[in-house]
Amino acid sequence: MAMIAHRLGLSVVLLEQGRHPRVVIGESTTPLSNLLLERLSATYDLPRVAPLAKWGSWQRAYPRVACGLKRGFSFFHETGQMLVAASPHDAIADTHWYRAEVDHFLVVEAEKFGVEYYDRVRIESLDLLEGGTDLAGWTGEVEFCLRAKFLIDATGPRGFLHHTLGLGEDSLPGMPATESLYSHFRGVNRTENEGETPYPVDDAAVHHIFDGGWVWVLRFNNGVTSAGVAATSEVARELGLSEGEPAWQRVLDRVPALQKQFDGAVACQPFRYMPVVSFRSSAIAGGRWAMLPSAAGFVDPLLSTGFALTLMGVERLARILGRYFESDELVGQLQRYAEQTDGELVAASRLIGALYATMSNFPAFTAVSMLYFAAVSFAETAFRLGKPELATGFLLREHAGFGPASRRLLERAHVLRGVDDTGAFRDEVLRVIAPFNVGRFGDPALRNSYPVCAEDLLRAGSKLGVGRDEIVSMLDRSGFYQSHRPTLVSG
């Protein structure tokens, strides 16, 4: 955001409470978030940021900045599994960001741009004025005063502006109260693939689902693995998550598949406990200030929605600053930004809340997840084809045909009873996603193992209003064909 604001010709100061490098979580990208990163890099001329959008270009450009290979989403449950590929090969795969190194890299790049950067900052006073904001405090041992025409808060949930302005919190529809415990580990064993799979199952965002909670496992290429658990407050109390490391052993006991994987693994960071995971600020923007989505709210790490939501916010704020910074329309544009940000947070909440509600019923859980994968894969394809008007709103929430029907299904997921009810629910999901399903989601022949297949996209062209040639051209531009494009015969 600071680099983009500088590109727009603004004088930018970046204030950091702590110091880099430092360990945080929020690590996993998705095809949609990487598409947004590509688009921002191209629109605002950020050539050194662009390689972060794909595993292959990252490894060529910045092999010493640690990250992980993410080929898809792996879900494991005691009754079954689901594998959803996000790329056809490693070169254009998504990534897990080792935030200590990636965040530091981005700060250094911002300084190279000409952004003024100060760390060890303590802001002791904030005055919101009609024409901007006055800030005063300390950076290290040096006192400072600063007048800014516009203030953007990127300090995370319950961050600086939320605390300083005494803003309230709103509830998140459908979400239970959740808690989390996590750390970074060394010596985590790999999971062996069983049978034919669309990618090595560990080269993914790995989710181990159990009743009332789930465990994530994300591998980096520096030997470190991020792992943690998120669970409803009731299950968190059963596991004693507030106790830290002893609770992690109880988590491993709860999920036998993890015991072998973490046999001999050692935590290389202190265990961190979050007593409250989800958050939604009651206000997101004002006359001369705005929160990034990451500061406006957070739902859960499940499905890695955080990066995409935040980059969508960066893109919108960049457009506002570029067009309306000195305009009388600024306040109205910021209000629209706040409404969109909140609406997307609520959409993510309804989705993830429905997934929590079905964690004890894996067939229902996989059916709910298909609403997500169908929506985001359709949106990504529409964006790459230059047809953004087909994919309105995160999770197609503004689409007249998908948004309301999806919401009704997510609400219904909370009250499913029995096998027959689950079967009828799955059938209705398949009916709703059919006009948007470009990945054969729900096809029983694939047995919950979904590759990324060019022929699936070619057959789905009519859903996007394009022919095969346009799909092939889009696949060429995106690097889909690793070596050469195969001959494709119409029919």
Side-chain angles (χ1 to χ4, degrees), residues 209-221:
I209 311 298
F210 58 93
D211 189 4
W214 67 286
V215 174
W216 72 82
V217 182
L218 311 175
R219 291 184 176 274
F220 303 110
N221 60 356

Side-chain angles (χ1 to χ4, degrees), residues 89-151:
H89 54 80
D90 292 358
I92 61 171
D94 303 325
T95 54
H96 309 305
W97 290 10
Y98 186 65
R99 292 284 300 277
E101 296 185 10
V102 179
D103 291 2
H104 186 236
F105 167 83
L106 291 172
V107 166
V108 170
E109 290 301 309
E111 287 187 285
K112 290 178 181 177
F113 259 62
V115 172
E116 292 185 57
Y117 170 68
Y118 301 94
D119 60 15
R120 297 175 298 158
V121 170
R122 303 192 313 276
I123 299 175
E124 297 188 344
S125 69
L126 167 73
D127 291 317
L128 295 179
L129 310 172
E130 184 175 345
T133 304
D134 280 352
L135 300 166
W138 298 81
T139 172
E141 303 302 320
V142 179
E143 193 172 7
F144 77 90
C145 295
L146 175 67
R147 172 162 290 183
K149 287 187 175 180
F150 198 84
L151 179 65

Side-chain angles (χ1 to χ4, degrees), residues 72-92:
F73 293 79
S74 300
F75 299 89
F76 299 100
H77 186 267
E78 62 181 358
T79 63
Q81 68 180 38
M82 180 172 68
L83 306 175
V84 182
S87 59
H89 54 80
D90 292 358
I92 61 171

